Amino acid sequence: MKNPEGQQDVSVSQGIRMMFYVMKPNETSFQTLEEVPDYVKQATPFFISLMLLELVVSWIHKGKPPGRLDDALTSISAGVLSQLPRLFSRSIELTSYIYVWENYRLISLPWDSPWTWYLTFLGVDFGYYWFHRMAHEVNIMWAGHQTHHSSEDYNLSTALRQSVLQIYTSWIFYSPLALFIPPSVYAVHLQFNLLYQFWIHTEVVDNLGPLELILNTPSHHRVHHGRNRYCIDKNYGGTLIIWDRIFGTFEAENEKVIYGLTHPINTFEPFKVQLHHLVYMWTTFWATPGFFNKFSVIFKGPGWGPGKPRLGLSEEIPEVTGKEVPYSSPASQLLRIYSVVQFALMLAFYEDTFSDKSALSQVTLFLRVCFIILTLTSIGFLLDQRPMVAVLETVRCLVFLMLCRFGHLKPLTPSLSLAFEIFFSICIAFWGVRSMKQLASGLWK
């Protein structure tokens, strides 16, 4: 796909329409992959606008926000982590597709035909259904996908809670399309399929009437995110719900949905959110006797155990009472505000890095990515109130000043350089004192 500086920005009308997959073939057909815009990157202002709209509607109708701050920060953190590899290389979903297309394609459908466009729409969504279903039914794939389900809230920020791992298995389910569909057409629909699924992560949109028969809607997807027994392994569709109706995985929303994993992880640390199930699998693998049982730990369902069906026993799924209390950060209000400020600064540098990546050296890119990861980790520690947070935050703020001093990080407005230096120096002093107190307390004990 194009580099950002070579792209023509989408209009407001196109931006709104691409979020709902109502773009026209003649405005989204491209001959080469290099011509395809980075629609996901250009969707950022529309993500923000829709999240603000959801906030306003929720306040008006329910008198409260659609979710909790700590959970939203964790969801956006996961989204940031999932996008960082794109700074260094093209997505494996594209590279694998191009390889199959260049070496094994059977025919070449015309890139500018509306029939090719609509066929790709169906093909990508069909591939997504089967990837998504296997991501729930194969334990090693669930280890990646579970990240998206770990939020105990359900709002538009939840849509951004993406896995850094699942892209390494999802490409398999799209590869057959490369036998006849040009990569440029596939790249467009891969993005639109993802963007469509943003708006369905909300509770402020109720039943949509006849559209519920064909499209994946907020109501259908709420069921998918539920941990109620009736919700488990249902409604896998991306844009269309017809695949679930055809293959017997559809379930309509009825009783109140309780969101999250069946066994909540109770943390806001980004790497625990991403990797905790892999750690669990590793432990289970070595604790399970027998070669075939070990094999089953990896390739059968997350609920499988020796002597159980492939997907486990439904009666072992914990019952919900409707009175479940989501895990919340024990951090004070001031620390939460501090976390938001630091998170907003990190997002500004994140956006700047993607905008200028072609002009930045590999060393600068690497150091910026390290700083972003360090910031996300530290904020997770702050929200969880981990004992080492003072030391980590002191180091992080020192790293920030060093990166600025050597030119690897620059404020978006040069006039803010002094303000940033003063602010982060104060942060170093504050967290440094707390670190010394903790160290002294530990030595005294």
Side-chain angles (χ1 to χ4, degrees):
M1 291 184 286
K2 289 182 183 177
N3 290 327
E5 61 270 18
Q7 291 182 8
Q8 181 178 357
D9 291 340
V10 297
S11 66
V12 175
S13 168
Q14 288 176 321
I16 294 171
R17 288 187 290 117
M18 75 182 182
M19 300 299 292
F20 299 94
Y21 219 143
V22 287
M23 298 286 270
K24 301 174 184 176
N26 63 357
E27 62 183 336
T28 56
S29 295
F30 305 92
Q31 185 172 6
T32 66
L33 191 63
E34 288 68 32
E35 294 177 83
V36 178
D38 191 341
Y39 290 112
V40 174
K41 184 70 181 68
Q42 296 193 45
T44 298
F46 301 97
F47 290 154
I48 296 170
S49 299
L50 286 173
M51 289 168 73
L52 291 174
L53 178 62
E54 180 189 40
L55 177 63
V56 171
V57 172
S58 182
W59 269 112
I60 292 173
H61 286 278
K62 299 181 180 180
K64 62 179 182 179
R68 296 162 299 133
L69 177 65
D70 43 23
D71 192 85
L73 289 179
T74 306
S75 293
I76 301 171
S77 294
V80 168
L81 278 176
S82 71
Q83 293 298 303
L84 291 179
R86 295 177 59 214
L87 288 168
F88 301 101
S89 63
R90 181 179 271 166
S91 160
I92 190 173
E93 287 179 321
L94 287 177
T95 54
S96 59
Y97 193 95
I98 293 168
Y99 178 81
V100 175
W101 169 261
E102 291 180 344
N103 293 279
Y104 300 105
R105 72 176 177 266
L106 303 176
I107 58 172
S108 300
L109 295 181
W111 64 269
D112 54 352
S113 167
W115 291 107
T116 303
W117 197 94
Y118 288 114
L119 178 63
T120 311
F121 161 70
L122 291 173
V124 167
D125 203 56
F126 182 72
Y128 178 82
Y129 170 85
W130 283 107
F131 153 68
H132 197 183
R133 182 168 175 174
M134 291 302 102
H136 281 255
E137 295 186 1
V138 177
N139 207 15
I140 190 65
M141 294 176 65
W142 172 250
H145 186 62
Q146 58 78 30
T147 298
H148 183 61
H149 283 264
S150 61
S151 173
E152 294 182 87
D153 290 342
Y154 189 77
N155 52 55
L156 293 179
S157 72
T158 308
L160 304 178
R161 188 178 286 225
Q162 297 294 319
S163 168
V164 298
L165 299 176
Q166 77 174 30
I167 195 172
Y168 299 105
T169 54
S170 60
W171 64 271
I172 299 168
F173 298 84
Y174 301 121
S175 294
L177 297 175
L179 298 175
F180 51 93
I181 291 174
S184 61
V185 186
Y186 164 74
V188 167
H189 288 277
L190 187 67
Q191 295 184 80
F192 288 165
N193 190 273
L194 177 65
L195 291 174
Y196 177 89
Q197 294 180 58
F198 177 75
W199 78 274
I200 61 177
H201 289 81
T202 185
E203 291 188 294
V204 301
V205 176
D206 204 358
N207 190 285
L208 295 178
L211 293 179
E212 303 278 341
L213 297 174
I214 301 171
L215 296 177
N216 192 12
T217 64
S219 176
H220 296 329
H221 207 58
R222 285 193 289 269
V223 171
H224 179 72
H225 272 259
R227 67 185 202 233
N228 314 53
R229 286 184 179 177
Y230 88 93
C231 298
I232 300 300
D233 296 341
K234 300 296 182 182
N235 299 359
Y236 296 114
T239 302
L240 301 173
I241 202 66
I242 59 173
W243 314 120
D244 290 282
R245 295 184 184 277
I246 291 171
F247 297 111
T249 53
F250 175 74
E251 187 70 45
E253 184 179 24
N254 47 67
E255 64 186 66
K256 179 184 176 182
V257 177
I258 305 299
Y259 304 107
L261 300 172
T262 56
H263 299 86
I265 55 176
N266 295 338
T267 184
F268 298 115
E269 291 182 36
F271 284 99
K272 277 192 176 181
V273 170
Q274 294 284 345
L275 304 174
H276 79 94
H277 193 75
L278 271 181
V279 175
Y280 169 77
M281 279 185 63
W282 176 262
T283 304
T284 305
F285 178 86
W286 290 110
T288 302
F291 173 80
F292 289 105
N293 283 338
K294 290 183 185 296
F295 184 86
S296 296
V297 167
I298 299 173
F299 294 105
K300 289 188 177 179
W304 177 85
K308 298 177 185 177
R310 181 176 67 88
L311 299 181
L313 298 168
S314 60
E315 56 266 29
E316 290 185 351
I317 298 170
E319 290 268 22
V320 298
T321 64
K323 299 178 181 179
E324 286 76 10
V325 178
Y327 173 71
S328 294
S329 170
S332 68
Q333 196 65 31
L334 279 175
L335 280 179
R336 294 186 191 203
I337 293 172
Y338 174 84
S339 298
V340 170
V341 171
Q342 293 290 358
F343 193 84
L345 291 174
M346 179 279 300
L347 279 182
F349 288 115
Y350 166 83
E351 287 293 326
D352 181 63
T353 301
F354 270 92
S355 297
D356 295 342
K357 68 176 181 179
S358 60
L360 299 174
S361 69
Q362 290 294 302
V363 172
T364 297
L365 279 177
F366 175 75
L367 291 173
R368 287 194 179 196
V369 166
C370 288
F371 175 73
I372 290 169
I373 292 172
L374 185 60
T375 300
L376 296 177
T377 303
S378 189
I379 289 173
F381 274 40
L382 275 166
L383 294 176
D384 275 356
Q385 285 293 276
R386 286 284 297 274
M388 289 297 294
V389 65
V391 174
L392 184 61
E393 189 63 5
T394 303
V395 171
R396 189 190 71 85
C397 293
L398 276 169
V399 168
F400 176 86
L401 291 182
M402 289 176 64
L403 291 177
C404 288
R405 182 63 57 90
F406 290 102
H408 297 295
L409 278 178
K410 295 179 182 178
L412 301 182
T413 306
S415 59
L416 292 176
S417 296
L418 180 59
F420 275 151
E421 188 170 339
I422 293 171
F423 174 67
F424 276 89
S425 296
I426 293 171
C427 293
I428 290 169
F430 174 79
W431 292 110
V433 169
R434 293 191 66 167
S435 299
M436 294 302 292
K437 285 182 177 179
Q438 285 184 353
L439 181 61
S441 175
L443 288 174
W444 181 258
K445 290 179 180 178

